[in-house]
Amino acid sequence: MAVVDSGVKTSRELDQTPTWAVAGVCAIIILISLALEKGLHKVGTWFTVKQKKALFEALEKVKAELMILGFISLLLTFSQYYIAEICIPVKVANTFLPCPLKYPAKSKLPGGARRLFSLERRILAGGKGAACKNGKVPLITVEGLHQLHILIFFMAVLHVIYSATTMGLGRLKIRGWKQWEEETLSPDYEVSNDPSRFRLSHETSFVRAHTSYWTKIPIFFYMGCFFRQFAKSVSKSDYLTLRNGFINVHLAPGSKFNFQRYIKRSLEDDFKTIVGVTPFLWASFVFFLFLNIDGWLTLFWASLIPPIIILSVGTKLQAIITRMALDISERHAVVQGMPLVEGSDKYFWFGKPKLLLQLIHFALFQNAFQITYFLWIMYKFELTSCFHDNFGLRIAKVVFGIGILFLCSYITLPLYALVAQMGTQLKRSIFDEHTSKALENWRKAALKNEQNI
């Protein structure tokens, strides 16, 4: 009969691990990392060849965020045993728990069940645990830090997927406007929008679609704008009218300007902002982790923030278009040619069009965090864990979060890229890559000549 020696260690360090196992694992990890790096490099090269400067800069931002997450992971790996050696009183450790306490302090088990539980976790992690005295436990166990590693990995993967989905859906939406842009080159368009042609303002398709008796009542005005973002966020008359207003204000009237291509470049500039993770967003991530206390339903209330923001921004963008139509009908009873909208920052909250983009940025980050946190809990703690007390509610929240991603990427963000052009300031993306580069070189040369003088 074989005798099991209870003194044999159940875990091995590298000096007792086969070299083929160590070399094989390292080789696989290195190959995956090289494949990822080469893939991102290929995408960056393609952006450069296609002269997608904004997308290339957005890709560099994604790589920078992945590097930050990698540094965080390295710091956790290096310092995990030092952190695990920090001991705190059991009474303090039993506060601010995300789940109900499994082993109360009044347990009659010898040595305290909590200490036994922590010891088992450290053994499973294969590391050295903290030699805490009676009445104290580790600040965070090695196993707990390992779970944080998994959360960081999920954040890195979801950040790439989320960014690609956002940009892909936005470009898909704007691609549908290409047909309207091509129609502006046809003779029929020039005849129907002849500047010498006069007609009543309320007979134009743009004014007629956005004005009625009900739009003069504030509550119905905003209700209509709210539901319009779901039905048809941008109609053909909206696009052509805003295009006409932009060209007349910022360019020569009647210019052959590809407005759809300009909106696409503008969306790429906006995307470059959205993929970044600012210190404020990192602070919000830590803040919600801190407030994820059992019984508070913090993550549930936090999951309501993205839809409220996205729906509010979408309503505001529709309100701006409707307000422009109302201004046309109030200013002129008769219009010449196509209705001319008046672009101004006064239509935006606090006169700042960029504020809407910042709100979209925050909402997308919080929505991505909610989805990432759910997937991490499902992977590490299973579906029946205490994090999922109301499992149906959690599933509904994730489905709703995915819906918000599609709503924002396919409707709200392209709509912002279009309506933001109605502000006072002209975006640099109006110039193509060659013109922008020439202007930048001219600016540098002018500054150099000024310094020499």
Side-chain angles (χ1 to χ4, degrees):
M1 180 182 295
V3 179
V4 179
D5 186 2
S6 60
V8 178
K9 292 184 177 181
T10 58
S11 61
R12 295 184 177 186
E13 297 184 359
L14 284 181
D15 60 346
Q16 297 298 311
T17 304
T19 56
W20 59 265
V22 177
V25 171
C26 288
I28 293 174
I29 294 176
I30 290 172
L31 287 174
I32 294 175
S33 301
L34 288 175
L36 176 62
E37 193 276 333
K38 290 296 182 182
L40 293 176
H41 180 72
K42 288 289 185 181
V43 174
T45 302
W46 185 80
F47 285 154
T48 303
V49 172
K50 295 294 183 178
Q51 298 181 351
K52 303 289 186 180
K53 183 179 179 181
L55 289 181
F56 178 79
E57 293 177 357
L59 179 64
E60 292 298 313
K61 272 195 172 184
V62 171
K63 292 166 68 174
E65 299 301 334
L66 293 177
M67 183 178 295
I68 291 175
L69 292 172
F71 277 131
I72 295 174
S73 181
L74 285 175
L75 287 174
L76 279 175
T77 302
F78 175 77
S79 61
Q80 60 182 354
Y81 294 113
Y82 298 100
I83 295 175
E85 289 176 357
I86 301 175
C87 299
I88 59 175
V90 174
K91 185 177 180 180
V92 177
N94 290 342
T95 59
F96 288 82
L97 298 179
C99 287
L101 183 63
K102 293 182 178 180
Y103 304 99
K106 296 181 180 180
S107 175
K108 297 182 179 179
L109 291 177
R114 184 177 179 85
R115 292 185 60 205
L116 178 61
F117 182 70
S118 299
L119 179 60
E120 290 174 352
R121 286 289 184 91
R122 292 195 296 270
I123 292 175
L124 289 174
K128 298 178 181 178
C132 295
K133 299 179 180 179
N134 292 334
K136 290 189 177 183
V137 293
L139 176 66
I140 302 179
T141 63
V142 175
E143 173 65 13
L145 293 170
H146 174 67
Q147 292 168 352
L148 280 179
H149 272 103
I150 303 298
L151 175 60
I152 293 171
F153 174 78
F154 272 68
M155 289 181 62
V157 174
L158 265 295
H159 183 60
V160 175
I161 297 175
Y162 209 88
S163 300
T165 303
T166 301
M167 190 60 201
L169 291 174
R171 288 173 63 88
L172 180 63
K173 178 68 173 183
I174 292 180
R175 190 179 302 166
W177 303 344
K178 187 176 182 179
Q179 181 180 358
W180 299 339
E181 185 66 34
E182 292 174 348
E183 290 183 12
T184 61
L185 303 176
S186 65
D188 294 339
Y189 175 81
E190 295 181 358
V191 172
S192 60
N193 296 283
D194 187 355
S196 61
R197 181 184 176 188
F198 290 87
R199 52 183 170 171
L200 297 174
S201 61
H202 67 268
E203 292 181 350
T204 60
S205 56
F206 175 71
V207 175
R208 187 171 63 251
H210 291 280
T211 59
S212 66
Y213 170 78
W214 301 106
T215 55
K216 297 180 180 180
I217 304 175
I219 185 172
F220 292 109
F221 173 86
Y222 286 103
M223 285 179 61
C225 294
F226 176 82
F227 289 107
R228 189 185 297 275
Q229 61 183 316
F230 302 106
K232 199 169 185 179
S233 59
V234 179
S235 64
K236 180 179 177 180
S237 62
D238 294 343
Y239 176 83
L240 295 178
T241 303
L242 296 183
R243 175 187 183 275
N244 180 62
F246 177 85
I247 292 177
N248 277 274
V249 172
H250 298 291
L251 304 171
S255 299
K256 301 298 182 181
F257 177 70
N258 195 321
F259 188 62
Q260 187 263 352
R261 187 179 301 170
Y262 164 64
I263 295 298
K264 186 165 64 175
R265 288 200 302 267
S266 179
L267 175 69
E268 293 171 358
D269 287 339
D270 297 335
F271 177 70
K272 182 176 63 177
T273 300
I274 285 175
V275 296
V277 183
T278 63
F280 173 76
L281 295 180
W282 281 118
S284 67
F285 165 76
V286 176
F287 179 74
F288 285 116
L289 282 181
F290 172 70
L291 292 182
N292 185 27
I293 302 171
D294 178 44
W296 286 27
L297 300 176
T298 302
L299 292 182
F300 170 76
W301 297 114
S303 66
L304 299 179
I305 296 177
I308 291 175
I309 292 178
I310 295 301
L311 294 176
S312 299
V313 170
T315 302
K316 178 60 179 178
L317 292 171
Q318 292 292 341
I320 291 173
I321 297 177
T322 304
R323 178 57 60 188
M324 290 178 176
L326 288 172
D327 288 348
I328 291 176
S329 62
E330 291 173 0
R331 286 198 312 266
H332 307 289
V334 178
V335 295
Q336 184 179 5
M338 179 173 286
L340 184 61
V341 294
E342 179 184 351
S344 175
D345 288 346
K346 69 179 182 180
Y347 293 111
F348 299 87
W349 283 326
F350 306 106
K352 297 181 179 180
K354 278 287 186 181
L355 177 61
L356 296 178
L357 183 62
Q358 293 169 357
L359 290 173
I360 293 174
H361 187 192
F362 177 75
L364 282 176
F365 176 82
Q366 286 299 323
N367 197 46
F369 167 67
Q370 293 290 331
I371 297 175
T372 303
Y373 198 75
F374 174 83
L375 294 176
W376 171 67
I377 290 174
M378 184 176 66
Y379 172 80
K380 199 62 187 174
F381 297 96
E382 300 181 351
L383 294 176
T384 57
S385 69
C386 61
F387 289 96
H388 295 149
D389 290 338
N390 192 330
F391 181 69
L393 182 62
R394 303 292 181 180
I395 293 295
K397 185 180 72 172
V398 172
V399 172
F400 197 59
I402 295 175
I404 289 298
L405 167 62
F406 279 82
L407 173 66
C408 181
S409 304
Y410 189 71
I411 295 179
T412 310
L413 194 57
L415 179 61
Y416 168 80
L418 176 64
V419 177
Q421 311 311 320
M422 297 299 103
T424 305
Q425 299 297 325
L426 184 64
K427 288 191 174 183
R428 292 180 57 185
S429 52
I430 189 173
F431 306 108
D432 57 26
E433 296 297 331
H434 297 293
T435 307
S436 297
K437 188 174 182 180
L439 289 174
E440 185 66 23
N441 292 334
W442 174 82
R443 176 178 174 275
K444 291 180 180 179
L447 291 175
K448 185 177 181 181
N449 292 336
E450 183 179 352
Q451 292 175 356
N452 293 333
I453 294 175

